[in-house]
Amino acid sequence: MSILSELDSVKKELQEVLKEVSIVPIEWKDGKLRWIDVTSLPWEERYVESSDIYRVAEAIKRLEIRGAPAIGVTTALAVAMVAYNSPNNKDEMMKNIEKAVEILSHTRPTAYNLFWALNIMKKTFYESIDLSPQEIKEKLLSKALKIQIEDIKNNLKMGEIGEKLIQDGDTILTHCNTGSLATAGHGTALGVIKTAWKNGKKIKVIATETRPLLQGARLTAWELKKEGIPFKLITDNMVGIVMMKGMVHKVFVGADRILRTGHVINKIGTYGIAVLASYHKIPFYAVAPTSTFDLTTSPEDVIIENRDESEVTTVLNKLRIAPEGTSAYNFAFDMTPPDLVSGIVTEKGIVEKDYESNIKKLFE
């Protein structure tokens, strides 16, 4: 099969896969990327188009595009975009791609899918170096679209696997946003919840508002409402009381990085929820594709992003809630130790304790 024929085949497959999801947060548009600016939700469903690598990087930094799987898909498409818009000169194309990789690699240090996708795209480029410039462009676009397809398929598969952990009548607590908006479509933890609902299970959801940018209140609530799934929104510091009152049966969260040890790095507040779930004997599950697993970094070497303190001293950078001059911590993620995790749902199955041994088997 020629490279062009392969690309046409991949494009057709993508169109078929997209029929399985209700929200498409990021897509390829003839040399441009088009994405939902999630910072505008729930007030406006705003789409942005750009072929500028700096604009795409800004979108990731500003959390217009967020969620580890969505970031991975976006960076793959962004590298393909840079190649697509480069002159038909291999040296120029190489310079542009290397510059794009450098720019993108400094956007979000904790999200592992970002680096996973960049490494795949770099490898694809150098393996294709003997092809013509046009064939290299087609090869990179084909690879990026395959990453998008794979993410959607993995999400749907994790939904099928994970929903078996949910019983009819369960109330599930979830944190941050792990739905279509955080992936290429369908979602990780929220994807499991959606699948359980579509399969007829009468479930309810408790969603944390998720400070500092309220991704739970703005994005998870928006997706749950679209799906018609019954839910209640709570403040982050209400988790303890709803568990104490017996209002939560399971916890499902996503992950921005999972280590070979089973440590789960996720949105700030996840660790506290896991501690409370353990105390109240409530199962706590993480849901993530294998592209989120980091098999080389040790827990003490994980870089936890510390974002601008204005995200804490204001609400959405619109309303100041602390006195001028107030200093704040703004860790974007925390790390949940493996002993607090009941299981990790992946597209290959549910990983159980002992995590280090079973994660190793997962990749064998």
Side-chain angles (χ1 to χ4, degrees), residues 119-136:
N119 286 335
I120 288 176
M121 295 304 287
K122 282 192 295 182
K123 185 170 183 281
T124 302
F125 174 73
Y126 288 114
E127 287 177 347
S128 308
I129 200 69
D130 292 333
L131 300 174
S132 71
Q134 186 58 38
E135 286 175 323
I136 292 173

Side-chain angles (χ1 to χ4, degrees), residues 28-48:
W28 173 264
K29 287 285 185 182
D30 297 322
K32 294 182 179 181
L33 299 192
R34 182 176 186 263
W35 65 88
I36 299 176
D37 174 3
V38 301
T39 64
S40 68
L41 293 172
W43 311 282
E44 178 189 2
E45 197 168 323
R46 176 175 174 263
Y47 289 82
V48 180

Side-chain angles (χ1 to χ4, degrees), residues 133-160:
Q134 186 58 38
E135 286 175 323
I136 292 173
K137 293 179 181 185
E138 290 164 1
K139 193 77 175 174
L140 286 170
L141 179 55
S142 179
K143 177 59 73 173
L145 295 177
K146 283 179 181 177
I147 288 173
Q148 184 179 8
I149 291 167
E150 180 185 337
D151 188 68
I152 295 170
K153 285 184 172 180
N154 287 347
N155 291 339
L156 293 167
K157 187 66 178 174
M158 288 186 294
E160 292 172 9

Side-chain angles (χ1 to χ4, degrees), residues 228-246:
I229 301 172
F231 72 96
K232 291 284 188 181
L233 183 67
I234 62 170
T235 60
D236 289 6
N237 54 2
M238 217 181 284
V239 171
I241 193 167
V242 296
M243 288 185 175
M244 184 185 73
K245 286 180 172 290

Side-chain angles (χ1 to χ4, degrees), residues 245-265:
K245 286 180 172 290
M247 297 166 67
V248 177
H249 300 107
K250 310 266 169 57
V251 177
F252 281 84
V253 300
D256 285 77
R257 186 184 293 235
I258 297 176
L259 306 185
R260 68 181 186 279
T261 53
H263 286 78
V264 174
I265 296 95

